[in-house]
Amino acid sequence: MLNGIEIPSLFILHQEDLAQMESMKATVLNAFGDAEKFEIQTVPIPTLKANQVLVRVCATSINPIDYQTRRGDYKELVRLAAILGVDVSGVIEAIGEAVTHFKVGDNLYYSPQVFGEFGSYAQYHVADATIVALKPANLSHIEAASFPLAGGTAWDCLVTRGNLQFGETVLIHAGAGGVGSIAV
């Protein structure tokens, strides 16, 4: 049970089990179509590179890009079998030898690369240490996993692309969705 939500036991591991593991459970998309195309499968735990962290996924989310990808909107960008998911909140289980600013046990949140090698619908995820951030202590993993893609998109639209400066005003239409509500 995590924050009152029942988590299927196939996604719960104990620290002592990690050292002996070579595989994990993941929700794998084997064909484009409806949600029934997902299957829970045993897959290899991703290999950790020098500049990466291995994260035990505590929570993820479902974004429009996930169901659009599942139904086949981006077939040319996705190689099946695919693990989707673009939001992660979790705990570092291992670090690469070049990682110096994080440690095992740190709580993180981040958005994996969209259409990257694999996503967050799995027990573990590997990410470059440059794209992860410490999870704010006042947020649960579930709350933190709802933020990275939508928050990053809002920031990118307003600050990076829109060049919004301190003191300026912007009108936000449709501020009720994930990106819009964060932008407001």
Side-chain angles (χ1 to χ4, degrees), residues 55 59 87-91 102 106-112 131-136 139-141 143-149:
V55 177
D87 281 320
V88 176
S89 184
V91 179
F102 294 106
D106 281 348
N107 289 289
L108 303 177
Y109 72 134
Y110 60 96
S111 183
I131 70 161
V132 303
L134 292 173
K135 179 186 75 63
L139 295 180
S140 70
H141 281 293
E143 291 165 332
S146 70
F147 185 75
L149 184 65

Side-chain angles (χ1 to χ4, degrees), residues 23-184:
S23 62
M24 65 179 179
K25 298 289 186 184
T27 304
V28 179
L29 182 67
N30 290 301
F32 297 108
D34 57 20
E36 284 73 34
K37 299 297 182 183
F38 281 117
E39 294 178 21
I40 295 176
Q41 296 181 357
T42 300
V43 300
I45 291 179
T47 304
L48 184 65
K49 295 179 183 166
N51 61 334
Q52 294 179 325
V53 294
L54 175 67
V55 177
R56 177 175 39 88
V57 176
C58 294
T60 186
S61 64
I62 299 172
N63 289 283
I65 195 155
D66 296 312
Y67 65 76
Q68 292 163 351
T69 301
R70 177 199 30 88
R71 71 183 180 204
D73 293 8
Y74 306 105
K75 287 180 183 178
E76 68 282 356
L77 300 173
V78 178
R79 191 182 74 205
L80 297 177
I83 300 172
L84 305 184
V86 291
D87 281 320
V88 176
S89 184
V91 179
I92 294 180
E93 296 291 334
I95 61 171
E97 62 267 11
V99 176
T100 58
H101 50 289
F102 294 106
K103 64 185 181 319
V104 171
D106 281 348
N107 289 289
L108 303 177
Y109 72 134
Y110 60 96
S111 183
Q113 179 181 344
V114 175
F115 307 124
E117 187 174 338
F118 63 95
S120 59
Y121 294 175
Q123 288 177 307
Y124 292 91
H125 188 264
V126 167
D128 260 7
T130 58
I131 70 161
V132 303
L134 292 173
K135 179 186 75 63
N138 64 334
L139 295 180
S140 70
H141 281 293
I142 292 173
E143 291 165 332
S146 70
F147 185 75
L149 184 65
T153 302
W155 179 270
D156 189 52
C157 290
L158 294 172
V159 178
T160 306
R161 296 173 188 238
N163 198 29
L164 187 64
Q165 301 296 311
F166 182 76
E168 292 182 325
T169 302
V170 63
L171 173 63
I172 298 172
H173 291 279
V179 174
S181 63
I182 292 171
V184 167

Side-chain angles (χ1 to χ4, degrees), residues 12-23 45 124:
I12 298 174
L13 291 176
H14 301 285
Q15 179 67 29
E16 60 273 8
D17 298 330
L18 179 63
Q20 302 169 26
M21 291 186 46
E22 295 177 1
S23 62
I45 291 179
Y124 292 91

